[in-house]
């Protein structure tokens, strides 16, 4: 939630543009902060699993841990890839939508399909 509020604040100031990797834009810095946060949380999850593996083995939690990692990490990297493709011009405008909007729509649709499969 903190990154969302910061993104909203910078967007109101005109200093935040989705998919902009310019050092002058807050998107790049928030993306790096989120990357660090996700990396730390995923490492903590792996360490938690390794430390408690013997205790929770009767519950067969490996698939649950993999699903949690999939839910957190895959959409994050998909968003990064789609925004990068839009920024580099690989994903262009379509009808009344900008390249960033098209990439966001594609990423959200793909994420919905993935979550449907995981549910």
């Amino acid at each position: 939630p903190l990154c969302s509020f910061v993104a909203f604040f910078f967007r109101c100031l005109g200093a935040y543009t989705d998919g902009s990797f310019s050092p002058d834009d807050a998107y790049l810095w928030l993306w790096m902060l989120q990357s660090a946060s996700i990396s730390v949380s995923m490492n903590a999850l792996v360490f938690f699993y390794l430390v408690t593996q013997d205790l929770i083995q009767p519950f067969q939690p490996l698939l649950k841990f993999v699903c949690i990692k999939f839910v957190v990490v895959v959409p994050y990297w998909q968003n990064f890839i789609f925004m990068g493709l839009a920024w580099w011009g690989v994903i262009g405008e379509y009808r009344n939508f900008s390249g960033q909007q098209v990439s966001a729509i594609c990423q959200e649709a793909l994420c919905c399909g993935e979550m449907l499969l995981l549910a």
Side-chain angles (χ1 to χ4, degrees):
L2 178 63
C3 285
S4 297
F5 288 122
V6 172
F8 178 74
F9 175 74
F10 280 110
R11 186 180 296 263
C12 289
L13 294 176
Y16 182 90
T17 307
D18 280 335
S20 174
F21 295 104
S22 170
D24 297 335
D25 199 279
Y27 179 83
L28 174 67
W29 304 107
L30 283 173
W31 175 80
M32 289 193 304
L33 180 65
Q34 287 176 336
S35 294
S37 174
I38 286 176
S39 297
V40 168
S41 67
M42 287 298 104
N43 283 330
L45 184 63
V46 169
F47 289 140
F48 174 77
Y49 176 75
L50 293 175
V51 169
T52 61
Q53 184 176 7
D54 294 335
L55 295 171
I56 58 178
Q57 189 59 37
F59 303 106
Q60 301 174 346
L62 184 60
L63 187 57
K64 294 174 185 85
F65 279 103
V66 171
C67 284
I68 291 170
K69 288 179 68 105
F70 187 80
V71 165
V72 173
V73 173
V74 171
Y76 173 76
W77 283 108
Q78 284 175 351
N79 184 34
F80 173 69
I81 290 169
F82 276 110
M83 287 297 178
L85 291 173
W87 189 65
W88 289 312
V90 175
I91 297 176
E93 295 179 3
Y94 180 74
R95 296 189 182 175
N96 295 331
F97 297 104
S98 68
Q100 281 86 14
Q101 291 171 326
V102 171
S103 70
I105 291 169
C106 292
Q107 196 271 331
E108 295 298 330
L110 188 59
C111 186
C112 287
E114 292 164 352
M115 296 307 130
L116 182 65
L117 291 175
L118 284 175

